């Protein structure tokens, strides 16, 4: 049964993510997480994106199916981890693929799984939240599920506040190579990261992708710019 397998994979990746973050000395601080609500129903989760580490952080708190690009699939260790976790890989370079991706996401949401997407479409250097790509948000409408915006914030690296001076130890963006970045990460002594679950965004059959994107973006960027 494919659903049972996916359930096993997402739980297993969640457990492995916790272990990996423990080894990397990550302190994950969670705000606004409603355990009862999350146990009762599933959601499309929408998060800002700065690094391949984001997947481990979110997964350690909430077993989820991740929607990520084929680029990550080709990045070795992380691609393998994402594949093992039952990730949905999308071809960002091919717009005609979007319908298929939406169908797959809608079916997965209907089957009761949480799905996490990064609508910025790429990882950033953490200066600000980039504009959202909107299409994939419609999977929640098609599946009759609500959306939870999530703000991820790296707070401290080795006891110093996250800043342009040290952010490249964590942020992975542009044309950075994975292996040198990962080897540098292994030398990091401690990282404090905050994951904040924000206000529920309700969907209806009339919801538009523009409106949903605006509600999610406004909440996430406001939370990200809060000190």
């Amino acid at each position: 049964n494919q659903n049972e397998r996916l359930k096993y994979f997402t739980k297993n990746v969640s457990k492995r993510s916790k272990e990996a973050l423990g080894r990397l000395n990550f302190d994950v601080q969670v705000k606004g997480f409603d355990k009862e609500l999350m146990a009762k129903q599933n959601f499309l989760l929408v998060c800002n994106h700065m690094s391949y580490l984001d997947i481990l952080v979110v997964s350690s708190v909430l077993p989820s199916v991740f929607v990520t690009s084929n680029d990550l699939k080709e990045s070795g260790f992380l691609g393998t981890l994402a594949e093992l976790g039952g990730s949905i890989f999308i071809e960002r370079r091919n717009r005609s693929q979007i319908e298929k991706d939406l169908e797959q996401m809608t079916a997965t949401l209907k089957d009761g799984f949480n799905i996490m997407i990064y609508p910025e479409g790429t990882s950033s250097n953490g200066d600000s939240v980039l504009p959202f790509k909107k299409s994939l948000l419609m999977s929640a409408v098609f599946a009759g599920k609500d959306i939870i915006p999530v703000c991820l914030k790296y707070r401290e690296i080795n006891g110093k506040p996250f800043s342009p001076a040290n952010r490249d130890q964590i942020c992975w963006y542009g044309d950075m190579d994975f292996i040198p970045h990962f080897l540098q990460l292994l030398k990091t002594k401690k990282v404090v990261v905050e994951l904040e679950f924000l206000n529920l965004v309700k969907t209806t059959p009339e919801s538009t992708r523009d409106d949903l994107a605006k509600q999610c973006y406004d909440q996430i960027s406001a939370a990200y710019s809060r000190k």
Side-chain angles (χ1 to χ4, degrees):
N1 178 314
Q2 190 147 358
N3 273 4
E4 288 306 313
R5 277 181 60 213
L6 193 51
K7 211 175 276 181
Y8 169 76
F9 284 145
T10 53
K11 278 193 176 150
N12 199 33
V13 167
S14 180
K15 191 177 157 201
R16 296 273 172 269
S17 297
K18 264 189 203 127
E19 289 168 3
L21 292 174
R23 287 201 193 99
L24 291 167
N25 299 313
F26 268 56
D27 172 14
V28 181
Q29 301 178 349
V30 184
K31 289 164 79 173
F33 184 72
D34 188 335
K35 219 171 179 178
E36 274 178 46
L37 180 69
M38 299 311 264
K40 273 194 289 211
Q41 46 190 296
N42 68 303
F43 298 91
L44 176 69
L45 297 120
V46 169
C47 190
N48 57 311
H49 190 26
M50 288 168 277
S51 175
Y52 49 83
L53 295 156
D54 303 350
I55 289 182
L56 301 182
V57 172
V58 174
S59 185
S60 73
V61 175
L62 183 71
S64 307
V65 173
F66 289 86
V67 174
T68 186
S69 68
N70 277 333
D71 300 352
L72 183 79
K73 195 179 189 178
E74 293 152 17
S75 76
F77 161 71
L78 266 162
T80 309
L81 189 72
E83 226 167 335
L84 287 174
S87 288
I88 296 171
F89 291 99
I90 60 170
E91 184 46 83
R92 294 200 195 279
R93 294 160 289 203
N94 180 357
R95 297 298 301 152
S96 62
Q97 188 66 24
I98 198 82
E99 300 251 322
K100 265 194 199 151
D101 297 332
L102 272 172
E103 276 172 28
Q104 195 182 353
M105 287 174 64
T106 302
T108 305
L109 283 166
K110 281 182 171 170
D111 284 340
F113 293 94
N114 293 304
I115 294 185
M116 171 63 81
I117 62 169
Y118 297 110
E120 289 166 288
T122 186
S123 47
S124 77
N125 64 7
D127 263 352
S128 62
V129 181
L130 303 175
F132 282 0
K133 293 178 169 35
K134 303 161 187 173
S135 312
L136 298 179
L137 292 165
M138 291 308 287
S139 59
V141 178
F142 300 151
K145 302 289 178 183
D146 294 325
I147 302 173
I148 298 183
V150 180
C151 178
L152 189 147
K153 223 187 277 197
Y154 291 99
R155 286 287 194 187
E156 281 179 25
I157 302 171
N158 295 338
K160 292 186 176 150
F162 177 88
S163 72
N166 60 13
R167 67 186 177 196
D168 285 7
Q169 288 175 253
I170 297 295
C171 294
W172 186 61
Y173 58 95
D175 52 9
M176 286 181 171
D177 285 331
F178 174 70
I179 299 294
H181 188 275
F182 186 67
L183 291 174
Q184 179 190 293
L185 173 76
L186 293 177
K187 297 175 191 161
T188 308
K189 305 231 172 5
K190 186 169 186 198
V191 176
V192 177
V193 55
E194 180 183 285
L195 200 62
E196 184 176 2
F197 290 76
L198 303 164
N199 297 328
L200 194 71
V201 172
K202 290 278 200 191
T203 69
T204 70
E206 290 73 44
S207 298
T208 66
R209 62 190 203 162
D210 288 343
D211 180 45
L212 294 174
K214 184 177 181 343
Q215 287 189 63
C216 292
Y217 182 85
D218 287 352
Q219 284 203 59
I220 292 170
S221 57
Y224 190 74
S225 56
R226 274 201 303 270
K227 291 293 170 228

